[in-house]
Amino acid sequence: MPEFTPIAQDPSRPVHVPVLLREVLQNLQLGPGLVVVDGTVGAAGHSRQIAGRIAPSGTLIGLDRDARMLEIAAHQLSAFPTHLHQASYAELPRVLAGLHIPAVDRILLDLGLSSDQLADESRGFSFSAAGPLDLRFDTRQGEPASDLLARLDEHELAELLERFGEESDSRRIARNIVAWRQRSPILTARDLADAVASTGRRGKSTDRGGRSHDDRHPATRVFQALRIAVNQELQQLETFLGGVLYDCLKPGGIAAIISFHSLEDRLVKQAFREPNSWQLLSPKPIAASPAEQRFNPRSRTARLRVAKRL
Ligand SMILES: C[S@@+](CC[C@H](N)C(=O)[O-])C[C@H]1O[C@@H](n2cnc3c(N)ncnc32)[C@H](O)[C@@H]1O
């Protein structure tokens, strides 16, 4: 039985394509009987393959903050005995305690958002969405992005865009957004995308880690910054890397983390650098092959880091 409250929708046709699937499966060194946590189960693209490899005696525990994604995951994983929880991966100790499992063999995080969330017009994740600009993974917690955007003054907004979006043009964009919202409120994703596009901001850019981003829309970094802020994404990752991951893995257990921008990747890299806690299994971050990048453009900015807990 899934341990969350399901929301009615069609969960049988997820659109998300898992990134770095082959690399994740290889590096996790899976086998029958292992206890594995997928801390960002999403549409279960990775988890389905993991579940098949640890069957019949293994245990899969899937977490997601988004009830709709858990509905899809439950459908995709119905052939396997699985524990699904609506929780942040930062809350893993509480979830494991509830299952009377002291520590696990493998933990996977695939950060960010899924294509199914992007495709859901009611969430505000895609630039063209006419629904409310919400951007929360768990709509029971925190405030929608439209409220945050209405509340921040120009200076605070510029700081947020710079800090969480690594947006080089943050001051000009903030000024334009504030001018726009004085004329009409920014309530939908489309309103925000139009407000940012009105600044004439260029689309293509590189983050501080030197990664070229698929910024085809000029508002890419603005949406990223707001999403990170309303979901407190970096705090969640810091809490997880600051002790949760180590404490929840058995000695010899393996952690695999996929990040999509340098703010996240930097935190993962620093955490795995601790020599008394981790042995790096991927000395360099693993990127998607050219073939995968062509087939699945989302994979272009993905970086996988893998480490063994000492
Ligand atoms: C990139 S998707 C995962 C896709 C999944 N690996 C697959 O192949 O279908 C990321 C998922 O993480 C979830 N998420 C984001 N932050 C989270 C957090 N702190 N704890 C748990 N889930 C989170 C999102 O709701 C989203 O469903």
Side-chain angles (χ1 to χ4, degrees), residues 8-295:
Q9 68 161 51
D10 177 8
S12 62
R13 298 172 63 200
V15 292
H16 186 82
V17 179
V19 304
L20 291 164
L21 181 58
R22 185 171 47 89
E23 292 81 354
V24 164
L25 297 173
Q26 265 171 11
N27 278 278
L28 283 179
Q29 302 175 32
L30 298 164
L34 290 182
V35 182
V36 180
V37 168
D38 185 342
T40 53
V41 68
H46 291 102
S47 268
R48 247 162 86 111
Q49 299 299 323
I50 292 170
R53 284 163 173 77
I54 62 175
S57 49
T59 302
L60 178 70
I61 302 154
L63 272 51
D64 205 292
R65 291 178 85 183
D66 188 336
R68 297 188 192 196
M69 295 313 300
L70 287 165
E71 174 113 1
I72 297 175
H75 197 274
Q76 296 300 313
L77 293 165
S78 58
F80 303 98
T82 311
H83 302 278
L84 292 176
H85 292 261
Q86 187 176 10
S88 168
Y89 52 71
E91 300 170 292
L92 184 57
R94 178 178 62 76
V95 173
L96 292 185
L99 296 170
H100 307 290
I101 295 175
V104 305
D105 299 297
R106 305 286 186 263
I107 299 181
L108 168 67
L109 291 190
D110 175 16
L111 298 166
L113 82 160
S114 81
S115 306
D116 295 281
Q117 289 164 322
L118 259 177
D120 183 346
E121 287 264 329
S122 70
R123 312 291 296 276
F125 289 113
S126 82
F127 307 126
S128 58
L133 179 66
D134 192 309
L135 299 183
R136 285 173 298 171
F137 294 130
D138 183 347
T139 49
R140 303 167 310 178
Q141 293 177 352
E143 64 180 335
S146 53
D147 288 6
L148 177 66
L149 201 56
R151 176 164 72 67
L152 297 179
D153 67 26
E154 187 182 320
H155 176 71
E156 291 168 329
L157 184 55
E159 257 190 0
L160 184 136
L161 299 181
E162 159 78 20
R163 186 156 163 233
F164 295 146
E166 301 191 291
E167 173 54 73
S168 55
D169 217 2
S170 57
R171 276 194 268 180
R172 197 162 65 89
I173 293 176
R175 194 166 54 241
N176 278 278
I177 289 176
V178 168
W180 183 286
R181 93 183 165 198
Q182 277 161 1
R183 293 194 299 274
S184 65
I186 298 176
L187 299 176
T188 68
R190 198 183 289 165
D191 293 341
L192 176 59
D194 288 347
V196 177
S198 75
T199 66
R201 194 231 183 277
R202 282 171 297 114
K204 201 90 182 143
S205 61
T206 304
D207 73 14
R208 287 196 201 109
R211 258 188 256 182
S212 174
H213 277 244
D214 184 23
D215 287 6
R216 277 167 302 180
H217 196 286
T220 300
R221 286 164 181 280
V222 177
F223 274 74
Q224 175 187 307
L226 287 170
R227 203 199 70 212
I228 289 177
V230 294
N231 292 299
Q232 304 192 323
E233 290 180 39
L234 298 181
Q235 286 102 309
Q236 300 291 320
L237 187 57
E238 276 166 348
T239 302
F240 181 77
L241 295 169
V244 168
L245 177 61
Y246 185 85
D247 292 345
C248 292
L249 262 181
K250 293 178 190 167
I254 297 175
I257 304 183
I258 303 172
S259 67
F260 288 86
H261 53 77
S262 60
L263 294 168
E264 291 167 346
D265 187 47
R266 203 175 303 137
L267 294 175
V268 179
K269 182 177 165 183
Q270 274 165 9
F272 284 170
R273 228 183 235 156
E274 173 51 62
N276 297 323
S277 304
W278 299 104
Q279 179 199 339
L280 271 182
L281 299 183
S282 61
K284 286 193 170 163
I286 299 167
S289 66
E292 181 176 357
Q293 293 190 31
R294 271 195 306 278
F295 168 71

